[in-house]
């Protein structure tokens, strides 16, 4: 059942989402370094765009899977798939808020110590979102 259900997913979209999140994390790390150095962090809006892209791709995949007749009530695989990826998507939404805070902070000429701590916390949260996906992607798309 697991293998048959896994075949109904779209690994190309899962891989695209993995690349979007890894790219966003790289951009966040670079932007945070720039903020610490007192320089403009021009990479942060691109990280936010990658996060929004992830949400759009995941929404597309949900639509495709549901269109093919697979819902959380289809079997245990799809119940776990929708619950765990849905929890991740909720964390991603919070992460989009964190990235928005980073973008706003990046527009300031210089950050106070407190603002830099907020930026570091937002970046750490974003990396947690990325790490969670790096567990979910192989679990649902690759493990046979």
């Amino acid at each position: 059942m697991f293998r048959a259900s896994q075949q109904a997913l779209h690994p190309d979209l899962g891989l695209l989402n993995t690349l979007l999140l890894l790219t966003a994390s790289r951009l966040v790390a670079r932007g945070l370094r720039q903020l610490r150095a007192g320089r403009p962090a021009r990479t942060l809006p691109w990280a936010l765009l990658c996060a929004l892209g992830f949400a759009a791709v995941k929404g597309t995949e949900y639509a495709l899977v549901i269109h093919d007749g697979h819902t959380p009530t289809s079997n245990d695989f799809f119940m776990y798939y929708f619950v765990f990826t849905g929890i991740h998507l909720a964390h991603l939404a919070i992460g989009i808020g964190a990235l928005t805070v980073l973008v706003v902070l990046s527009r300031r000429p210089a950050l106070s110590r407190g603002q830099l701590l907020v930026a570091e916390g937002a970046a750490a949260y974003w990396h947690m979102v990325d790490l969670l996906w790096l567990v979910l992607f192989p679990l649902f798309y690759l493990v046979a």
Side-chain angles (χ1 to χ4, degrees):
M1 180 268 303
F2 184 96
R3 184 83 167 135
S5 297
Q6 189 181 46
Q7 296 299 317
L9 297 182
H10 300 270
D12 51 337
L13 297 179
L15 180 59
L16 174 59
N17 268 343
T18 301
L19 295 174
L20 284 169
L21 286 185
L22 289 173
T23 300
S25 281
R26 174 73 175 115
L27 294 168
V28 167
R30 187 174 192 169
L32 190 58
R33 273 196 313 277
Q34 292 166 335
L35 288 176
R36 286 180 183 143
R39 295 191 319 263
R42 294 188 178 99
T43 61
L44 294 173
W46 294 105
L48 179 57
L49 188 63
C50 287
L52 293 169
F54 179 98
V57 171
K58 182 48 68 185
T60 299
E61 185 177 22
Y62 279 170
L64 291 170
V65 169
I66 291 168
H67 181 265
D68 291 340
H70 306 290
T71 67
T73 60
S74 296
N75 60 38
D76 286 347
F77 175 88
F78 284 109
M79 187 269 300
Y80 286 118
Y81 169 77
F82 281 107
V83 167
F84 282 113
T85 60
I87 289 169
H88 179 263
L89 200 54
H91 283 91
L92 180 97
I94 296 166
I96 287 171
L99 291 178
T100 302
V101 168
L102 281 172
V103 169
V104 169
L105 288 174
S106 73
R107 293 185 176 154
R108 298 185 181 202
L111 297 184
S112 68
R113 179 172 161 75
Q115 290 169 328
L116 190 54
L117 286 174
V118 168
E120 289 174 351
Y125 182 87
W126 179 257
H127 293 309
M128 183 278 307
V129 171
D130 192 16
L131 181 61
L132 181 58
W133 180 253
L134 291 177
V135 172
L136 293 176
F137 174 67
L139 181 66
F140 288 109
Y141 294 86
L142 303 177
V143 173

